[in-house]
Amino acid sequence: MKLAILSATVGAACAFSPSVTFSTSTASLHLRMSTESTDETAPATPLDISTEEAVPEVQDVTPAGVAIGRSLSWVPDETKPCYGLPGASAPLGFFDPLGFTKDMELLGVKRFREAEIMHGRVAMMATLGYLISESTPTITYGMNVHHTIANNQIPEVPGTVLFPFFLAINICEALRASKGWVEPGLGPLFTLRESYYPGDLGFDPLGLRPTNMKDFENMQTKELNNGRLAMLAAAGMCAQEQINGKGILENLGF
């Protein structure tokens, strides 16, 4: 009985091991064939070696466009100055004599354009602010025409008026930053979002945005040129009032 159990156990173990069969006749046959093959040289099989390597096909990948509103899209063009952003107009064309944007990456150019267009918008409001605050009735001065130059008006404004004014500015700036800029800690500082078009805050209550790219670029070029002129005008007004202490219209004889 024990012998039967041992035989069954050995048989079961051998069932899971690879079977190797040795045969003296087979071994001698392999030995004879191997000795015979050393005397005869087998013809070499020619190898098909091709000198031409397969070159992977390069596909033309079009860069993804940046959405502008709901109907427009801007695609950066590396062959154009500032990647094709609008703003160049006659007679100067593309004007960058100091080479600020030369060999600059796309995100850097977009950040420069964001700064330019936002400063231009603030300067356009500041230009109107100089004229209105000096020459028209305002709530701050009791609806009377106050002839204090604009540069000296802020210290005269009560804090109860300045606080909501600066609070509104902070809220607007926070909304602008959350729309166009990468949050601190989620990427490099002072970096615009890749999907953000410089200056596009989605604010168009009168629906003046054109529906095709050509008209949009033309309109933004006009906005940029007016903003550039306003930056020069606001700086000139500030300097002029500091020199002679007179208001803008007063200095012109009004």
Side-chain angles (χ1 to χ4, degrees), residues 40-59:
E40 299 179 1
T41 303
T45 304
L47 298 178
D48 185 11
I49 302 176
S50 177
T51 58
E52 297 181 0
E53 297 181 356
V55 179
E57 183 179 357
V58 179
Q59 298 180 355

Side-chain angles (χ1 to χ4, degrees), residues 4-238:
I5 295 175
L6 180 61
S7 301
T9 304
V10 174
C14 293
F16 294 95
S17 62
S19 59
V20 180
T21 305
F22 293 95
S23 174
T24 55
S25 60
T26 304
S28 60
L29 178 60
H30 288 174
L31 180 61
R32 186 173 61 255
M33 292 179 62
S34 61
T35 54
E36 292 177 356
S37 61
T38 55
D39 298 336
E40 299 179 1
T41 303
T45 304
L47 298 178
D48 185 11
I49 302 176
S50 177
T51 58
E52 297 181 0
E53 297 181 356
V55 179
E57 183 179 357
V58 179
Q59 298 180 355
D60 186 12
V61 179
T62 303
V66 179
I68 307 173
R70 297 182 178 179
S71 58
L72 300 177
S73 178
W74 173 72
V75 179
D77 188 352
E78 297 182 357
T79 62
K80 297 181 180 179
C82 290
Y83 294 87
L85 284 171
S89 57
L92 297 177
F94 176 70
F95 184 75
D96 185 16
L98 299 180
F100 286 119
T101 59
K102 184 179 180 181
D103 299 329
M104 181 178 287
E105 60 180 6
L106 176 60
L107 290 179
V109 173
K110 289 173 62 177
R111 189 179 65 179
F112 274 25
R113 173 50 54 86
E114 173 78 3
E116 180 184 21
I117 195 168
M118 288 302 169
H119 281 83
R121 291 171 179 174
V122 171
M124 286 188 279
M125 292 188 290
T127 303
L128 292 177
Y130 268 97
L131 301 177
I132 293 175
S133 63
E134 293 178 350
S135 308
T136 61
T138 59
I139 299 176
T140 304
Y141 294 105
M143 301 305 294
N144 294 322
V145 178
H146 195 81
H147 292 287
T148 300
I149 61 176
N151 291 348
N152 297 336
Q153 287 184 6
I154 290 183
E156 299 178 359
V157 177
T160 55
V161 177
L162 282 180
F163 177 76
F165 177 70
F166 284 113
L167 180 61
I169 293 177
N170 290 333
I171 293 175
C172 292
E173 282 298 296
L175 293 175
R176 182 177 73 90
S178 63
K179 182 175 179 63
W181 295 80
V182 177
E183 294 84 351
L186 300 181
L189 294 177
F190 310 112
T191 303
L192 291 176
R193 302 182 190 274
E194 295 182 357
S195 60
Y196 174 71
Y197 184 83
D200 181 27
L201 301 178
F203 182 76
D204 185 23
L206 300 180
L208 300 178
R209 189 201 308 272
T211 56
N212 61 80
M213 236 4 239
K214 184 177 180 180
D215 293 341
F216 172 79
E217 291 178 353
N218 185 31
M219 176 177 283
Q220 189 171 68
T221 299
K222 294 178 180 178
E223 180 187 14
L224 286 166
N225 287 336
N226 282 290
R228 292 161 181 167
L229 179 61
M231 285 188 279
L232 295 175
M237 291 178 179
C238 180

